[in-house]
Amino acid sequence: MEKRNYRYCLELKELSLKNGSEGTKKLSFDFENHDDLFQIFEAVRSRKIFSDDKTADEFALGLKLFTEVMLKNNQHPLFEELRPAIKEFMQKLKRF
């Protein structure tokens, strides 16, 4: 039986550059995650780990994108030293 994941589309648009000029770049891609990301956003917001929802959303999205790549590439040597620390961090986060 095929394991089903949640499917998402991420669209990123550069709004402005450090020098004040208008941004022109865009990036869009589809991806899958084993978790309901919108449920994760709500959970992180409701725990008030950060003082505002925008920061909580940025944290949750970045962490979920990163850890999903680690899961899908769990034997990649790049993540070898990070695996134990990420596992400990995720356990701490769930207790927070």
Side-chain angles (χ1 to χ4, degrees):
M1 185 166 107
E2 181 183 337
K3 183 178 178 183
R4 294 196 175 253
N5 288 318
Y6 292 89
R7 295 186 65 225
Y8 300 96
C9 177
L10 181 67
E11 296 181 1
L12 183 66
K13 180 181 175 184
E14 185 179 66
L15 299 177
S16 63
L17 306 180
K18 289 168 84 170
N19 67 8
S21 63
E22 186 176 335
T24 59
K25 297 176 185 168
K26 295 180 183 179
L27 174 70
S28 177
F29 61 92
D30 297 343
F31 66 98
E32 294 185 4
N33 196 290
H34 70 278
D35 287 320
D36 178 342
L37 295 185
F38 290 96
Q39 186 178 12
I40 301 274
F41 295 147
E42 276 302 313
V44 174
R45 286 182 206 145
S46 70
R47 289 181 179 159
K48 301 292 183 193
I49 298 170
F50 301 100
S51 60
D52 61 277
D53 288 349
K54 179 183 169 290
T55 302
D57 291 345
E58 290 174 353
F59 169 76
L61 181 60
L63 183 63
K64 289 308 300 175
L65 287 172
F66 180 74
T67 56
E68 192 72 14
V69 169
M70 278 187 66
L71 283 172
K72 290 177 181 176
N73 297 277
N74 64 356
Q75 297 303 312
H76 196 292
L78 179 64
F79 301 120
E80 186 176 329
E81 290 141 357
L82 277 177
R83 256 183 243 109
I86 291 293
K87 182 179 178 183
E88 184 178 324
F89 177 81
M90 294 302 286
Q91 290 171 344
K92 180 179 181 178
L93 177 62
K94 289 175 183 180
R95 289 190 307 266
F96 208 87

